[in-house]
Amino acid sequence: MLFKALIRPALFRASVSDPEIAHHWLMNRMATLSHSQTALKIIEAANAYKSPVLERDVFGVHFPNPVGLAGGFDKNGIALPALAALGFGFIEAGTVTRYAQPGNARPRIFRLSEDNALINRMGFPNDGADAIHARLSTLPKPAIPIGWSIGKSKITPQEEAIEDYLYSLRKLYAFSDFFTINVSSPNTPGLRQLQDKEPLDRLLQAIVQETETIAQKTSSPAKAVLVKIAPDLTESQLDDVIEVCLNRNIRGIIATNTTLARTDLRQNSSESGGLSGRPLHRRSLEVIRYLSRHLENKIPIVGVGGIFGPDDARRTLDAGASLIQIYTSFIYEGPTIIKRINQHLAHS
Ligand SMILES: Cc1cc2nc3c(=O)[nH]c(=O)nc-3n(C[C@H](O)[C@H](O)[C@H](O)COP(=O)(O)O)c2cc1C
């Protein structure tokens, strides 16, 4: 209530020309709060909803609840403790790249308020794997699972993509409960081609092998590797992804990233980039149902795309997802959405 009545109007007004201003303002406050144990306790007491019925074990990781924060919100891992205190069951941090990079020119996020949607063409702005590694070494790790999303640096040629991913994986290995291989952002040229059968197979083979090598050296189980896919794949492309993921021991598929399609929109926008939020929900559900039918429970699915409340969350789980993630609804609805979804799931 407070968020929608006071905080959201102020944030949205203050950042009419560039919604990223609101995001950075919020993230900087959250980063400061992340260093205060007292503040974290107060945030948690006010927001988090806990119930044993919400707990689950998926791909070898224990989750206090199934509602996660989707990739891209805390790209540099500056505010993970405060975000965790809001009641998320897990956070996907990143997407991080081997090299620090500024991303595309601003503005690069656009609100489509009538549609409860966003268009973004961020292009993975982030501090790079080395700087993030250094930061994480000084911060306490939150008590919930943190997965790091890895992408390809813009300056890295396509044929050197594998080494680029491996570099970030090695750097962040100690700080991650699982990894997401992001091959589905529409804003890095060539990235989505890594979803094609052969390049995907080579990439995933190398990454899973690396986790096994590290596991052997450290005498610990190999960390789970997940793949995040685009909603714009055809059924035959989805079949290829499924085949590769099964062959390469991928432990989860995150469906979906933003879409290049512009269907189901009330508000016109000529901005390029990936569309997220409510208009994505129908397509993301279709992809989750397709994956669920063809995976036969062999690989768990993390459902993401336009989840705006308890009914959408329930529908996504019923479609075959074991966990869900939100991003755009967190912007529009504020942190209370996490508790509303969890309370509903605990009682249904
Ligand atoms: C501004 C913005 C930045 C994003 N950045 C990333 C990213 O860095 N990595 C990633 O995997 N997904 C990224 N995403 C996609 C989200 O993680 C999510 O897959 C997508 O927005 C659909 O979920 P939603 O409808 O709940 O927002 C981003 C989305 C938005 C709106």
Side-chain angles (χ1 to χ4, degrees):
M1 283 302 270
L2 181 71
F3 178 84
K4 276 195 163 172
L6 289 174
I7 301 173
R8 186 177 81 176
L11 283 175
F12 277 22
R13 237 193 335 270
S15 59
V16 174
S17 58
D18 184 359
E20 214 178 320
I21 295 170
H23 183 78
H24 288 304
W25 184 88
L26 201 71
M27 286 304 286
N28 287 335
R29 304 282 103 39
M30 299 290 277
T32 307
L33 294 170
S34 289
H35 292 278
S36 160
Q37 281 308 317
T38 313
L40 292 176
K41 282 205 184 95
I42 294 169
I43 298 171
E44 191 173 341
N47 292 282
Y49 180 79
K50 291 183 184 169
S51 165
V53 298
L54 292 170
E55 293 177 26
R56 50 205 68 196
D57 293 286
V58 190
F59 47 80
V61 177
H62 182 75
F63 295 83
N65 72 66
V67 184
L69 179 60
F73 196 89
D74 190 354
K75 292 177 188 293
N76 293 310
I78 62 171
L80 297 174
L83 289 166
L86 290 174
F88 283 113
F90 62 109
I91 296 171
E92 191 181 325
T95 296
V96 62
T97 53
R98 171 178 186 164
Y99 299 109
Q101 53 184 37
N104 293 321
R106 285 167 70 168
R108 51 197 179 179
I109 307 181
F110 307 89
R111 285 190 206 109
L112 277 62
S113 299
E114 283 175 45
D115 292 294
N116 281 305
L118 296 169
I119 290 175
N120 92 81
R121 49 168 180 267
M122 301 291 284
F124 297 158
N126 78 104
D127 296 341
D130 288 331
I132 293 174
H133 168 94
R135 174 176 305 123
L136 294 176
S137 308
T138 66
L139 276 178
K141 189 183 168 299
I144 60 168
I146 304 294
W148 275 90
S149 166
I150 303 177
K152 184 185 85 65
S153 315
K154 191 175 178 189
I155 57 162
T156 299
Q158 203 75 353
E159 52 289 2
E160 291 166 29
I162 294 179
E163 195 40 53
D164 197 83
Y165 278 88
L166 287 177
Y167 187 90
S168 301
L169 179 101
R170 290 184 200 114
K171 274 279 158 187
L172 297 176
Y173 198 83
F175 304 99
S176 209
D177 295 291
F178 64 91
F179 285 95
T180 301
I181 305 310
N182 186 353
V183 282
S184 50
S185 165
N187 303 310
T188 297
L191 191 88
R192 284 184 165 204
Q193 284 156 24
L194 294 171
Q195 288 173 121
D196 293 348
K197 197 170 181 183
E198 255 85 76
L200 185 67
D201 189 58
R202 279 197 297 275
L203 175 66
L204 297 185
Q205 181 188 22
I207 286 174
V208 171
Q209 206 166 52
E210 185 67 21
T211 62
E212 283 160 4
T213 307
I214 299 173
Q216 256 176 9
K217 278 192 206 149
T218 53
S219 305
S220 55
K223 289 187 180 167
V225 176
L226 283 63
V227 177
K228 183 164 177 180
I229 61 169
D232 305 324
L233 298 178
T234 62
E235 288 191 354
S236 94
Q237 288 173 313
L238 286 172
D239 292 339
D240 288 346
V241 169
I242 290 170
E243 192 185 323
V244 171
C245 287
L246 286 169
N247 280 344
R248 294 299 170 200
N249 199 17
I250 290 303
R251 310 253 285 271
I253 300 182
I254 305 191
T256 65
N257 212 314
T258 55
T259 179
L260 289 172
R262 294 291 186 265
T263 40
D264 297 336
L265 286 180
R266 277 178 228 165
Q267 205 174 329
N268 264 335
S269 174
S270 54
E271 297 297 346
S272 63
L275 176 76
S276 61
R278 265 200 205 284
L280 175 60
H281 188 55
R282 205 155 50 102
R283 177 59 190 156
S284 116
L285 274 181
E286 277 172 9
V287 173
I288 293 164
R289 285 201 189 100
Y290 188 88
L291 290 175
S292 172
R293 243 193 344 266
H294 291 81
L295 282 167
E296 297 163 355
N297 290 327
K298 289 183 190 132
I299 301 178
I301 300 163
V302 180
V304 51
I307 298 173
F308 262 73
D311 292 342
D312 300 334
R314 172 47 60 208
R315 211 174 296 125
T316 307
L317 293 167
D318 288 347
S322 302
L323 300 165
I324 60 167
Q325 293 178 325
I326 58 171
Y327 189 131
T328 305
S329 61
F330 185 52
I331 308 268
Y332 278 97
E333 303 282 309
T336 55
I337 188 172
I338 312 160
K339 192 182 210 167
R340 279 195 288 123
I341 294 176
N342 273 324
Q343 271 174 331
H344 175 85
L345 294 178
H347 294 108
S348 63

